[in-house]
Every structure is written in structure tokens, then in C-alpha cells.
Amino acid sequence: MATTPALKRSESIADSMPEALRQSRYHMKRCFAKYIEQGKRMMKLHSLMDELEKVIDDPAERNHVLEGLLGYILCTTMEAAVVPPYIAFATRQNPGFWEYVKVNANDLSVEGITATEYLKFKEMIVDESWAKDEYALEIDFGAVDFSTPRLTLSSSIGNGLSYVSKFLTSKLNASSTSAQCLVDYLLTLNHQGDKLMINETLSTVSKLQAALVVAESSISSIPTDTPYQSFELRFKEWGFEKGWGDTAERVRDTMRTLSEVLQAPDPSNFEKFFGRVPTVFNIVLFSVHGYFGQADVLGLPDTGGQVVYVLDQVVAFEEEMLQRIKQQGLNVKPQILVLTRLIPDAKGTKCNQELEPIKNTKHSHILRVPFRTEKGVLNQWVSRFDIYPYLERYTQDASDKIIELMEGKPDLIIGNYTDGNLVASLMARKLGITLGTIAHALEKTKYEDSDIKLKELDPKYHFSCQFTADLIAMNSADFVITSTYQEIAGSKDRPGQYESHSAFTLPGLYRVVSGINVFDPKFNIAAPGADQSVYFPYTEKQKRLTDFRPAIEKLLFSKVDNDEHIGYLEDRTKPILFTMARLDTVKNTTGLTEWFGKNKKLRSLVNLVVVGGSFDPTKSNDREEAAEIKKMHVLIEKYQLKGQIRWIAAQTDRYRNSELYRTIADSKGAFVQPALYEAFGLTVIEAMNCGLPTFATNQGGPAEIIVDGISGFHIDPNNGDESSNKIANFFQKCREDPEHWNRISAQGLKRIDECYTWKIYANKVLNMGSIYTFWKTLYKDQKQAKQRYIDTFYNLEFRNLIKDVPIRIDEKPEGPKER
Ligand code: UDP
Ligand code: LCN
């Protein structure tokens, strides 16, 4: 088979496209004429290809064209803006590398254009006068971000921490005096005013180096387990403070590591040393929207994986911090606060409780602060899409509470999702604290053409506020934590979530010519895990939560329809195909139900069990959920699924859910995550942790979690027949060879243990907190300049935009009045 020719590295699309068009000039003239035939419009790759197929009807001829350079160029096209006689192409040969060209359909002349020019083509389609406005606002973060080093390879994206260590060590290596910045930094370390590591006696590199030699040799002769207190006084005289270690052995090792860093800095010693430096004792995490609680909240609108992620993250952080603090020889209690919204009308949850200790931790709490408006405290839940007008005031209220409870400033702030990230960045800016952000999912990529469709979508989703807040947060962040590579830079065929913010336009509002650079070393992949004390393999018989058995038996097999389940399973000997998700459109639960309905073979092999949503659309106060509920009912009717489907309403008990996954595994079933797009997909790793073979969408994070055919399977949510056949073939194969099921189950578990645990995560993120805190001190001026730009953007743009978002009026009797 002929292989598609890629361009040589040195060649641009603008250089090679004229020749490619010339080779098939006859067909291309017709094809481009077809592209412009319908006038101005946006075209995606599939429509470009469809039109090409229509023009070249001879398959051999068509293949010839597509296998040539032109086929390659078209395949790198992410979208095209048609403004006759031009077609402007946005091409992407590799993650993060974009090139824009315009082709004149009349004479096929090609010209390279800038991102700005390309965006203007897009704008011409929806708002010509704005596109032509010479003074239209352009947002260019690149212009205020020029001195920090950048990565250059797509393959390095997401490995920020290790590159920052490399950049830093080469900076420290630059001259005999350049390590002074490290000494200066160490001199600033303290806990509530008590100095740590070194004091002013050791204010230069040479003094520190000499003292390290003396100190190291003085402890080389004492027993390795001698506690720090035994030699603390002597060390203090030399200029050392607490924080080096709890025993002579640990202190010596930390000192040796620093000596080596000062002698000839290398990234691995540098990272090791910074993994030990005592910098982070108090952390604040923001997860503002949704019902955030430890019980009875999962599955409610807007309350899904983020809550699970944040709570598990806290447990992992606290464990890791306690271990580090002990090894540093310090007697400090770490504090972690999760800041969320207090919702007075809490619907039976604890979301109206101000302070709640976090389970499985000693020192961590959820702190709930209400939203306030001019009318007082807001009682009810507010959708994440409508949340923006409350955030500034919330930041102020939350900051006051945090400082009161922590008796000082935190050392690290981490935001979650657009709202939490905005609040976190406002607070970090105000208090001068290191900021990490996490997006879980940026909404921009979830909706096709969400940028130029602003006018259509904004009244419903308030994307103008959301994208503005996202830009502010990602540019304010000292480091960005992502769960997968695709979240940052996508895959070969699909741009990443962050990448999609590098150049886009909101016609009528502003044009982003440089929103974020995915080669910025602030980007890091740290994948979450699932709580392994809850989600453990079905084979661990002695740990199984057998108390849930009768309830699960009823949930799956009782024949009545009630508020918790509808439908029934006629033949209970069949394996169960299982899915569980919030009933959002993007989760595609209805898609899976339809695939199942259509596929006779699959229906003969398995039963379908769906967990999600509720059954009465009129009772849902979430726009998308109500539509999906209706669709589920229609599909069950249309495909006559009763007898083969069990639809269970959203479940809120993670322990019972874990036993549900394991019960499905007992049936030799499988889990399916069919989302149209999934940022990460916690259910995927929960299922795999329970030993359940898993089929997950190839659109987004799950494609990285699972190695297709080895530790589970990828399915294409846009190709239902192919996906349902793949699932059916698996069950057919398992019938013929039961070992097949066991193999996939075991490989899934292996994959989890190697890459997706909270221990790995906590270690990485705390190292980020430590290293980026040092890193930002070296680029202080640059950071300040950028902050000024962000402040202007926030003040002039964001504050204006929120005025268009309606403030929610409480439906119930008024809540507590403002003090
Ligand atoms: N979940 C649940 N009950 C439900 C639906 C989901 O407990 O009815 C849990 C699920 O076990 C997982 C989380 O909610 O822990 C969903 O996370 P995921 O990353 O899969 O999706 P998200 O909802 O965050 O988009
Ligand atoms: C939000 C999502 O949409 C999921 O893909 C993630 O798994 C979850 O948050 C936790 O990060």
C-alpha cells in the first residue's frame, strides 16, 4: 500500500501546497469551486473530504489524489473558513504546530497567512463589520511573555517539571555566582516566621558550601538513626536551621545532595533536593460549583468526577505531606482546606454545613462559604454556566475565612475548573502565593465552533465569561496540572483543550491571537487514581462489601419499576454490559443505548445496565439532563429494550457503586464509557481497578489510559456500528475462550498499578509546588508584567461580561440576610 507522504521538516504547507494543487489541477479547480459554491461557511475535514469525493467520482483517481501530498495536506487541516473566492485553512502537522494558508479558488494561488489573518476570515463569516474593524480588541499573551524558556518538541509537552529542572540547573551552572539565587531563596524559607534550612550566617554560596562540608563530616561518624535534635544546637551555630531531615542519615543525604547541586547542578539531584525542601505546609483547593460533599452528592447535575478527584487528592496530599514533614524533622501539622460554596438549600446533603472534616484525613476540612449578592446569601444551587457574577465577592469572603482558619496565608493554592481557577488566581494574586490550576474539562472544545458561535451560545452557556476566565486562570497559573497529554495538546488528529485556546476569536468581543502556549513548561501531566480502598479487584473475596449484596441484587434484578430503577433483565445468566455517568449529552449514554438497541448480536450476548440521571424529565432542573432523559425513554420504546435493559437512577454511594462494578465483573461483564468526548474519565479507572474489562471512548483521556486490545479497548463514539460490533466480538470471544476475559481484566489492573495511583500523583504535584515556587522567583519581573496585562483584561473585559449573566433569584423563602 502506498504510504502518504509527509512534508519534510523544513517545508511549510504554504511552500508545498502550490505544487500539490498543480499535480491535480483539473480536479482541484472543480473541488475548490465546489467549496465556495455555498458561499461563506466553516468547513471541517469531513466536509472537505465529502465534497472532494463528490468531485472525483472515480475511486482509483480519488485514491491517487488522496495518497499524494494533497491528501496529506488536507488531513492536517483542522478546519477551513470559506470566504469566496478564498478558502483559509488552519492546518496542524503536529500537536502544537499550526500553519495557516489561504487558497484562491479561481486561480489556486496559495499564500501563507498569520493566525490573526486566519481569525479574520472566520469572523467574516459571522460578523463582517467587526472583522474589518481595525481597532477590534486583540488579546496577545505572547507579547507579554517573552523571557521564560519554552519547549520545542511536541513530545516534551506536559513534562514541564523535568524541563524546568533542566532549565534551572543550566541557569545555576551559568557562572560561579549564579547559584546565589538558590541561596537567597533558601534564606526566605520559614514556617510561621521560624527560619528553616539556613539563616543569615550562610548568606553566600561559598559560605554555604564550606558549612555543608563541615556539617556533613561531623555527622558521618555518628549512628545513622541519631535524631536531629541531638546535634541541632551545633548545627545552628554553623548557620543551619531545621528542615534537613529527621535523622543523621537523612540530614547527611540532603546535605550531600545540595553540595552536589552547588558543585555542578544536575536535574536529578536538583529535583531530589527540591522534593525535600520544606515549602508546602498549608494548601487551599478551590472547587466552587456543584454540590460538594462527601455523601449523597454524586450524580447530581454538575457534581461528578471533580468532587471525587478533589477529595481523593486531599487524602493523598495529606499522607504525602505528613511523610515529608516527618522526614524533614519538623513538628508541623499540615492543613488542607477545600473551599466550596455553601448552599443553604442543600437538598438533604451537607452542603449547608460550613466546616466539615474530610474523611480519612487528620487535618483537612471542607470549608463552605456562601455566594452573596446585594439581596443577601443565595440559597440555591447555580449551574456552572451561570456562576460568574458571584465569584469576585466570593473570593473576598473566602480569603478572609481562610486566613482566619489557617492563621495565615497558605503556601499553595490550587484551583479546579473555570470557576475555582478564577477564584484561585484572584486570591493567589492578592496574597502572592504559588498557583496551580486544574481544568478537568475546558468547555471550549466540547461544543463545535463554540468560539464563532458566540452569539448563539452565549445566552445559554455564557461562554464569553467562561473563556475569559479560563484565559485569565491559565495565564496566571505558575503550573498547570493535567490528567493526560491530550488535555494539553490533543492527539495527531485532534487539538488539545489548552491548545484550542492558543488562537481563537469571539466575534464582536475580542480576537485571541496568542492565548496560551502549550510549549510553556508550566504544563504537567499528573494523572489521578481511584481510591484503592474502595475500588479494589473483584477477586479480593475477603474484602468484598457483602452487606450490599441484597441491595445490589434488587437494584439489578427486581422486576418492579420505581424511582430507582426501570426496565428488567429477563435472562439473568447473561454477562452485563455496564455504564455509569451523569446524564449529560456529551456522556453519550443514549448513544450506547441506541448501539445496543440496533445490534442484534450484542443483544443476544449481554444485558445492558445503565446508571445515570432520573426518569422524569420535568423534575430535572438541568437543561441537558432533561433532554437526555426523554431520549432514553424514546429509545427503550423504539428498540423494545424492556427485558434486556435495566436503567438505574444516579447513584450516590461510592462504596455501593464499587460493589456494583465488582458484581458486574462477577457476571463476566464489561464497562463501557461511550462519551463523545471525555477529559479524563474516572469511571474508566474505577472499573479497571475493580478488574472489569473496559471499553472507552477514543475521544479524549481514556484513549491514553487504555492500551487498545491489551488493557481494555478503545471505541469510536462517532461510529456506533463499529463500536458495538467490537463489544459483541469481545463477548463472543470470551464465550469461546473464557481466559480472554481474565487476560484483559488482569492487564487492566496492571496498567492502573503502573500509571494511575494517587501516590504517584501526590508526589509529583508537591514537587511542582516546591520547584515552581522557586522558578517564579527567578522570573519575577516577567510575571509582574504579565499580571498587569491580566489585571487589565479582568477589569475591562471580565467584569463587563458578568453584567449580562442574570443573578439567580431564590425560589424559596429568603435565606439568612446579609450581615
Ligand atoms: N458517579 C456516581 N454516580 C453516578 C454517576 C457517576 O457516583 O450516578 C461517579 C463515578 O463513580 C465517578 C464520578 O462520579 O467517580 C464521575 O467521574 P467522571 O470522571 O467519570 O466524569 P465527570 O462526571 O467528572 O464528567
Ligand atoms: C471532569 C471530567 O469531565 C472528567 O473527565 C474527569 O475525569 C473528572 O472531572 C475528574 O478530573
Side-chain angles (χ1 to χ4, degrees):
M1 205 181 90
T3 51
T4 313
L7 299 184
K8 287 194 219 103
R9 223 188 148 185
S10 56
E11 275 174 337
S12 69
I13 301 267
D15 290 339
S16 53
M17 200 162 176
E19 175 57 20
L21 291 172
R22 201 192 53 74
Q23 283 170 7
S24 324
R25 194 171 171 84
Y26 168 72
H27 292 306
M28 284 306 108
K29 285 270 308 185
R30 292 179 56 218
C31 185
F32 275 73
K34 192 117 193 85
Y35 289 161
I36 59 168
E37 197 177 74
Q38 291 177 35
K40 291 186 204 167
R41 59 177 168 150
M42 287 304 294
M43 292 183 78
K44 303 285 165 196
L45 179 59
H46 62 87
S47 37
L48 290 166
M49 288 299 189
D50 285 352
E51 308 261 295
L52 186 128
E53 269 187 30
K54 282 185 209 146
V55 168
I56 317 178
D57 37 19
D58 173 13
E61 185 81 355
R62 192 163 62 229
N63 279 348
H64 179 70
V65 172
L66 288 178
E67 280 167 6
L69 193 51
L70 193 69
Y72 172 75
I73 293 173
L74 280 179
C75 287
T76 65
T77 298
M78 298 293 116
E79 59 175 29
V82 180
V83 181
Y86 292 106
I87 297 133
F89 291 84
T91 69
R92 177 179 173 268
Q93 289 195 58
N94 275 306
F97 289 102
W98 289 77
E99 199 192 329
Y100 304 96
V101 293
K102 67 173 184 191
V103 179
N104 185 322
N106 296 334
D107 59 9
L108 297 189
S109 60
V110 181
E111 201 184 312
I113 54 176
T114 61
T116 312
E117 287 166 310
Y118 174 72
L119 294 174
K120 285 185 184 173
F121 271 102
K122 285 180 77 168
E123 292 153 11
M124 289 287 286
I125 297 171
V126 289
D127 190 344
E128 195 168 330
S129 70
W130 194 78
K132 287 182 175 160
D133 178 354
E134 270 186 63
Y135 299 101
L137 176 61
E138 287 194 351
I139 302 299
D140 185 358
F141 282 100
V144 283
D145 202 353
F146 37 82
S147 66
T148 35
R150 296 279 179 251
L151 313 172
T152 51
L153 301 175
S154 299
S155 55
S156 304
I157 293 173
N159 271 326
L161 191 63
S162 87
Y163 285 91
V164 161
S165 301
K166 287 180 188 148
F167 293 140
L168 280 171
T169 46
S170 68
K171 212 170 163 82
L172 297 182
N173 259 323
S175 74
S176 57
T177 56
S178 37
Q180 184 59 37
C181 59
L182 177 54
V183 179
D184 293 341
Y185 176 69
L186 295 177
L187 282 169
T188 65
L189 298 177
N190 73 89
H191 177 253
Q192 294 180 341
D194 288 345
K195 281 212 152 292
L196 296 171
M197 304 294 276
I198 58 173
N199 59 41
E200 293 302 330
T201 320
L202 305 177
S203 59
T204 65
V205 177
S206 53
K207 283 184 194 164
L208 176 58
Q209 276 179 311
L212 284 169
V213 173
V214 174
E216 220 194 301
S217 82
S218 87
I219 43 175
S220 61
S221 51
I222 59 177
T224 51
D225 57 356
T226 311
Y228 183 77
Q229 290 77 350
S230 315
F231 48 89
E232 182 173 359
L233 285 178
R234 202 169 6 130
F235 268 46
K236 201 164 175 97
E237 277 165 30
W238 291 331
F240 293 108
E241 300 288 339
K242 279 184 279 199
W244 293 91
D246 52 344
T247 61
E249 186 181 23
R250 184 86 182 173
V251 172
R252 197 174 160 210
D253 192 48
T254 311
M255 290 191 152
R256 167 70 56 86
T257 310
L258 179 60
S259 290
E260 284 177 10
V261 168
L262 292 172
Q263 170 184 266
D266 70 286
S268 86
N269 268 320
F270 182 86
E271 266 190 62
K272 178 175 167 192
F273 178 69
F274 268 85
R276 294 182 177 196
V277 171
T279 30
V280 180
F281 304 106
N282 294 334
I283 305 182
V284 169
L285 305 165
F286 281 99
S287 176
V288 182
H289 72 262
Y291 289 91
F292 192 104
Q294 302 185 78
D296 303 325
V297 297
L298 291 178
L300 295 179
D302 282 0
T303 307
Q306 190 181 142
V307 175
V308 177
Y309 178 108
V310 174
L311 289 171
D312 286 354
Q313 180 191 33
V314 171
V315 176
F317 277 162
E318 194 188 276
E319 244 167 54
E320 183 70 25
M321 283 161 83
L322 283 170
Q323 188 190 345
R324 286 185 182 204
I325 290 170
K326 185 191 160 294
Q327 287 175 338
Q328 284 154 353
L330 300 174
N331 184 15
V332 171
K333 271 192 209 150
Q335 288 193 76
I336 306 178
L337 285 179
V338 177
L339 258 291
T340 188
R341 223 202 116 185
L342 186 146
I343 310 176
D345 183 5
K347 305 245 182 278
T349 68
K350 287 196 181 156
C351 296
N352 52 2
Q353 189 176 312
E354 185 179 70
L355 200 64
E356 185 186 347
I358 296 181
K359 288 178 196 147
N360 303 322
T361 68
K362 293 194 183 108
H363 315 287
S364 305
H365 291 85
I366 300 173
L367 172 61
R368 299 194 181 89
V369 174
F371 280 170
R372 283 193 300 147
T373 68
E374 281 164 7
K375 294 213 169 79
V377 166
L378 188 71
N379 282 321
Q380 285 168 336
W381 172 78
V382 179
S383 151
R384 68 189 191 279
F385 295 119
D386 305 331
I387 206 166
Y388 305 101
Y390 315 96
L391 297 179
E392 189 173 308
R393 193 156 183 180
Y394 178 83
T395 309
Q396 183 57 49
D397 293 348
S399 305
D400 295 346
K401 271 271 165 209
I402 290 165
I403 290 175
E404 182 191 320
L405 268 173
M406 285 191 159
E407 295 176 12
K409 295 196 283 184
D411 308 303
L412 179 62
I413 298 185
I414 299 182
N416 285 280
Y417 193 70
T418 311
D419 50 1
N421 286 335
L422 185 77
V423 172
S425 48
L426 294 177
M427 183 170 165
R429 183 223 180 288
K430 190 167 127 180
L431 303 178
I433 298 167
T434 305
L435 170 70
T437 59
I438 299 171
H440 296 285
L442 294 162
E443 300 291 332
K444 186 169 170 297
T445 36
K446 281 196 198 164
Y447 301 78
E448 191 161 84
D449 293 330
S450 56
D451 55 350
I452 58 161
K453 284 193 186 153
L454 182 72
K455 283 211 172 85
E456 176 190 330
L457 299 173
D458 211 41
K460 194 166 167 197
Y461 296 110
H462 307 298
F463 282 151
S464 56
C465 294
Q466 181 145 30
F467 301 170
T468 306
D470 281 333
L471 281 176
I472 289 173
M474 64 183 84
N475 279 288
S476 307
D478 295 300
F479 60 96
V480 177
I481 304 164
T482 68
S483 302
T484 56
Y485 179 93
Q486 68 75 36
E487 197 179 323
I488 314 169
S491 57
K492 189 101 191 69
D493 312 316
R494 183 185 178 121
Q497 295 183 50
Y498 284 96
E499 190 183 2
S500 81
H501 291 75
S502 48
F504 68 99
T505 185
L506 299 179
L509 204 59
Y510 57 77
R511 176 186 302 133
V512 179
V513 297
S514 163
I516 192 75
N517 185 339
V518 293
F519 294 94
D520 191 316
K522 68 162 71 170
F523 283 104
N524 285 284
I525 304 166
D531 183 340
Q532 292 179 321
S533 66
V534 181
Y535 303 99
F536 53 83
Y538 73 105
T539 44
E540 292 185 13
K541 293 263 181 305
Q542 69 299 349
K543 280 169 72 183
R544 293 282 298 259
L545 310 175
T546 44
D547 288 355
F548 288 124
R549 289 234 166 111
I552 289 178
E553 166 74 22
K554 264 198 193 154
L555 205 57
L556 290 174
F557 300 114
S558 83
K559 290 234 161 112
V560 285
D561 282 0
N562 58 23
D563 281 354
E564 208 180 1
H565 44 74
I566 60 174
Y568 64 96
L569 307 179
E570 186 73 66
D571 177 358
R572 55 177 294 174
T573 61
K574 280 184 193 168
I576 290 173
L577 192 61
F578 177 48
T579 193
M580 174 164 72
R582 290 177 296 111
L583 215 52
D584 269 6
T585 319
V586 73
K587 295 289 181 188
N588 199 26
T589 304
T590 46
L592 173 66
T593 308
E594 180 143 38
W595 305 346
F596 180 73
K598 278 187 180 164
N599 192 321
K600 286 209 180 86
K601 184 171 165 195
L602 187 60
R603 284 174 71 165
S604 74
L605 288 163
V606 295
N607 288 316
L608 179 64
V609 171
V610 168
V611 170
S614 56
F615 312 130
D616 183 352
T618 60
K619 292 209 176 115
S620 172
N621 57 0
D622 185 83
R623 301 171 268 240
E624 284 193 6
E625 192 188 68
E628 288 299 288
I629 295 173
K630 282 189 202 148
K631 201 164 163 194
M632 277 299 285
H633 288 296
V634 169
L635 290 169
I636 292 173
E637 247 345 276
K638 179 171 171 194
Y639 294 103
Q640 297 288 299
L641 292 178
K642 291 243 164 100
Q644 291 175 338
I645 191 173
R646 177 68 143 195
W647 178 10
I648 301 171
Q651 294 297 303
T652 55
D653 182 338
R654 66 199 311 223
Y655 289 94
R656 194 166 92 170
N657 287 351
S658 73
E659 203 43 42
L660 185 57
Y661 283 116
R662 285 185 289 268
T663 309
I664 311 284
D666 294 335
S667 85
K668 298 286 169 205
F671 184 75
V672 190
Q673 212 291 11
L676 299 175
Y677 177 77
E678 185 64 56
F680 182 69
L682 285 179
T683 51
V684 173
I685 55 172
E686 289 166 1
M688 288 166 79
N689 264 293
C690 293
L692 193 54
T694 299
F695 291 80
T697 179
N698 62 7
Q699 300 297 310
E704 275 169 59
I705 304 175
I706 290 173
V707 182
D708 188 28
I710 310 260
S711 41
F713 302 93
H714 296 170
I715 47 172
D716 182 352
N718 299 311
N719 193 340
D721 290 345
E722 182 196 279
S723 299
S724 64
N725 283 333
K726 193 165 178 177
I727 303 172
N729 291 343
F730 167 77
F731 282 107
Q732 182 65 42
K733 193 160 173 195
C734 292
R735 265 199 182 176
E736 290 151 15
D737 169 18
E739 266 315 297
H740 185 54
W741 191 97
N742 292 339
R743 265 193 306 273
I744 299 290
S745 163
Q747 286 294 330
L749 283 163
K750 183 161 172 270
R751 176 87 181 147
I752 292 289
D753 281 340
E754 283 167 5
C755 308
Y756 297 97
T757 70
W758 281 111
K759 172 100 191 122
I760 305 174
Y761 174 97
N763 183 46
K764 263 196 193 171
V765 175
L766 289 177
N767 284 352
M768 288 176 210
S770 178
I771 293 184
Y772 285 95
T773 300
F774 176 48
W775 173 248
K776 76 170 184 177
T777 63
L778 302 184
Y779 291 95
K780 216 165 55 212
D781 296 343
Q782 159 87 65
K783 195 166 162 63
Q784 261 168 18
K786 193 168 180 187
Q787 190 60 54
R788 287 286 176 217
Y789 189 72
I790 294 172
D791 291 349
T792 312
F793 192 40
Y794 177 80
N795 261 285
L796 301 182
E797 202 60 58
F798 185 78
R799 276 183 159 177
N800 252 332
L801 291 169
I802 58 175
K803 291 182 191 150
D804 293 336
V805 183
I807 300 279
R808 181 161 185 161
I809 311 287
D810 278 325
E811 289 153 14
K812 289 229 171 114
E814 286 198 358
K817 279 269 178 255
E818 194 179 7
R819 273 171 287 152

